Amino acid sequence: MIFSLKGSVQELTPTYAVIDVQGVGYYVGISLMTSQALALNKPAFLFTQQIIREDAHLLFGFNTRSEKEMFNLLISVNGVGAVSALILLSTLSLEEIASAILSRNSALIQKAKGIGAKTAERIIVDLKDKVQKFSVAEENISSFVDNKVKEESLSALEVLGIPKRMSEKIADRMMKQNPEISVEELVKQILKNI
């Protein structure tokens, strides 16, 4: 089991890097977050996760131990493969993923390409007791709690012909003032404020 790699970055793309460790180049799948922390021909240290399948030996690299832990939690969920986990880690920050799981915000998780409603729900159910340490303060979680209310309200307004970006700022302001607001009330308030 390869736990970590220390060497120089021989090749770098948003999805993979080749780390040269004393003349041996390791091809490592990475997230966008890790890619941004690396620089071509510069020293690098990555925590790694090796996955051995019948048809492939895969190596994934992470800039932080926390990112590696979140990756391992995500791939422990049935239906979430290594590529989907990396896409999710590239789309959202660790805090956003944790907050989305804790607040049952499947819409935010589904923003990651390839993750549908069922998989997002499965991630929430399987990981809700395991991601507390990744979330920041409680007030950040509350901003995600009523995201479903916001999404439904904005969808309803789009049907009425009101552009999403026009109503989104008003929705955010209304939800800050009244976090317990219902979809119907939010739609009314946005219509009054346009």
Side-chain angles (χ1 to χ4, degrees):
M1 168 66 101
I2 301 170
F3 180 78
S4 64
L5 292 176
K6 185 178 182 181
S8 67
V9 181
Q10 191 177 326
E11 272 185 56
L12 180 62
T13 74
T15 55
Y16 77 87
V18 176
I19 307 295
D20 182 318
V21 181
Q22 297 179 351
V24 179
Y26 290 89
Y27 180 99
V28 186
I30 55 174
S31 70
L32 204 52
M33 187 163 64
T34 294
S35 173
Q36 290 168 346
L38 300 174
L40 203 55
N41 301 318
K42 296 281 189 237
F45 177 87
L46 293 178
F47 293 98
T48 57
Q49 181 61 49
Q50 191 174 15
I51 297 177
I52 299 173
R53 298 192 317 227
E54 266 182 49
D55 59 341
H57 289 232
L58 306 169
L59 195 58
F60 298 94
F62 309 95
N63 189 41
T64 64
R65 194 182 292 259
S66 297
E67 189 185 17
K68 177 183 174 178
E69 287 172 18
M70 180 63 86
F71 174 82
N72 283 323
L73 285 173
L74 290 168
I75 62 173
S76 73
V77 176
N78 191 13
V80 179
V83 173
S84 296
L86 280 183
I87 291 170
L88 190 52
L89 287 168
S90 295
T91 308
L92 303 171
S93 71
L94 298 179
E95 293 82 10
E96 287 173 327
I97 295 169
S99 295
I101 291 168
L102 291 170
S103 62
R104 306 190 61 80
N105 182 356
S106 69
L108 188 61
I109 296 170
Q110 287 176 63
K111 284 188 177 176
K113 189 172 175 251
I115 294 184
K118 283 184 181 170
T119 306
E121 285 301 324
R122 205 173 301 125
I123 289 170
I124 289 168
V125 170
D126 289 5
L127 302 183
K128 67 179 182 293
D129 299 329
K130 299 174 183 170
V131 294
Q132 280 88 351
K133 70 183 224 166
F134 295 99
S135 70
V136 220
E138 282 296 313
E139 62 266 13
N140 283 7
I141 293 168
S142 66
S143 68
F144 293 107
V145 171
D146 295 317
N147 212 356
K148 196 169 183 173
V149 170
K150 179 180 165 184
E151 290 297 321
E152 286 179 23
S153 302
L154 296 178
S155 293
L157 289 163
E158 273 186 305
V159 170
L160 297 172
I162 296 159
K164 189 173 185 174
R165 60 174 193 275
M166 185 190 283
S167 50
E168 198 160 14
K169 284 181 180 147
I170 301 167
D172 289 338
R173 194 173 67 234
M174 293 299 154
M175 290 179 77
K176 266 192 185 125
Q177 292 169 4
N178 180 8
E180 303 299 312
I181 198 165
S182 68
V183 174
E184 295 78 17
E185 189 57 36
L186 185 56
V187 169
K188 282 182 199 168
Q189 290 299 326
I190 292 169
L191 288 171
K192 277 184 195 170
N193 284 277
I194 286 179

